Amino acid sequence: MSEPTPEILAAFEAAKGFMPVGEGLALYAAAEEAGKLGLPLLEVGTYCGRSTILLADAARRAGTVAVTVDHHRGSEEQQPGWEYHDPTVVDPEVGVMDTLPTFRRTLRKAGLEEHVIAVVGRSPQVAKVWGGELGLVFVDGGHTDEHATNDYEGWAPRVAPGGLLVIHDVFPDPADGGQAPYRIYLRALESGDFEEVSVTGSLRVLRRTA
């Protein structure tokens, strides 16, 4: 399994976000493999760019680009009063979350700005206007059934044959976390279009076979 340079790994660890290093290394290996297809690597759910660093560096090495899709207003569990709320990413002028400035600083510090296309918008709307195939789709957006289902239905069909669908926060046991990502993971397997490649913590890597 390929690994990022110490500099890239340090940038990943320094960035705001929730992905553990082990899962990050698995994501990087998947991105590097998918990059061989020469197609863009896309992530749904950017937050402040922690995982984007890994996708962008893999895309840079493969001569392709990373695309991130996020409205940058935070998911449900990141709103005020919820477990993952961070008041430092609230826009003081309008009083709502805005992770976009932090995300842009994250990329700049890592020297990866030119390898990322940041799309600011809601996943279902962006998916409707996206025309091309993708080497990798990383689903890490909202964790309600509505959002996870929209992300799966909008983006899984865009994964090229041989490409990878990566789903984060998959918890088979409800005691460990929400079930929406687990349900779309099962749906992908049951579709017959994907086969499991690897399991690392809550990260699942699936390859498109059909």
Side-chain angles (χ1 to χ4, degrees):
M1 186 168 78
S2 300
E3 293 194 0
T5 64
E7 293 77 16
I8 292 296
L9 191 58
F12 165 80
E13 293 188 271
K16 281 183 186 289
F18 311 103
M19 176 175 278
V21 172
E23 293 178 2
L25 293 176
L27 175 65
Y28 188 85
E32 195 161 65
E33 179 186 337
K36 295 172 184 175
L37 295 174
L39 296 167
L41 313 176
L42 182 139
E43 99 179 320
V44 182
T46 311
Y47 191 54
C48 295
R50 185 176 173 95
S51 56
T52 315
I53 289 172
L54 302 178
L55 295 179
D57 188 61
R60 176 189 65 79
R61 292 174 70 165
T64 184
V65 67
V67 180
T68 73
V69 179
D70 199 311
H71 49 66
H72 287 281
R73 295 303 188 195
S75 57
E76 304 78 15
E77 66 270 19
Q78 294 160 1
Q79 301 307 317
W82 289 78
E83 182 180 1
Y84 293 103
H85 180 63
D86 182 346
T88 68
V89 291
V90 173
D91 182 332
E93 186 170 329
V94 297
V96 297
M97 286 188 65
D98 185 3
T99 54
L100 185 59
T102 306
F103 163 67
R104 297 201 69 182
R105 285 193 292 270
T106 297
L107 285 187
R108 186 167 184 84
K109 287 177 185 175
L112 292 166
E113 277 186 303
E114 66 186 274
H115 304 289
V116 177
I117 298 171
V119 181
V120 181
R122 297 193 173 272
S123 169
Q125 293 175 303
V126 179
K128 282 180 182 176
V129 300
W130 185 272
E133 289 187 317
L134 296 160
L136 176 142
V137 167
F138 175 42
V139 177
D140 193 22
H143 287 36
T144 63
D145 276 305
E146 177 190 4
H147 289 138
T149 298
N150 284 340
D151 291 342
Y152 174 75
E153 292 181 351
W155 294 108
R158 312 291 186 192
V159 179
L164 299 177
L165 173 66
V166 184
I167 305 173
H168 195 217
D169 295 325
V170 173
F171 298 112
D173 185 345
D176 295 329
Q179 294 293 284
Y182 179 58
R183 282 191 276 270
I184 63 168
Y185 156 75
L186 292 179
R187 186 173 166 187
L189 290 177
E190 290 163 2
S191 72
D193 293 336
F194 294 93
E195 63 182 9
E196 189 164 87
V197 175
S198 70
V199 175
T200 306
S202 72
L203 193 84
R204 302 293 187 274
V205 179
L206 311 177
R207 178 177 288 105
R208 186 175 193 89
T209 57

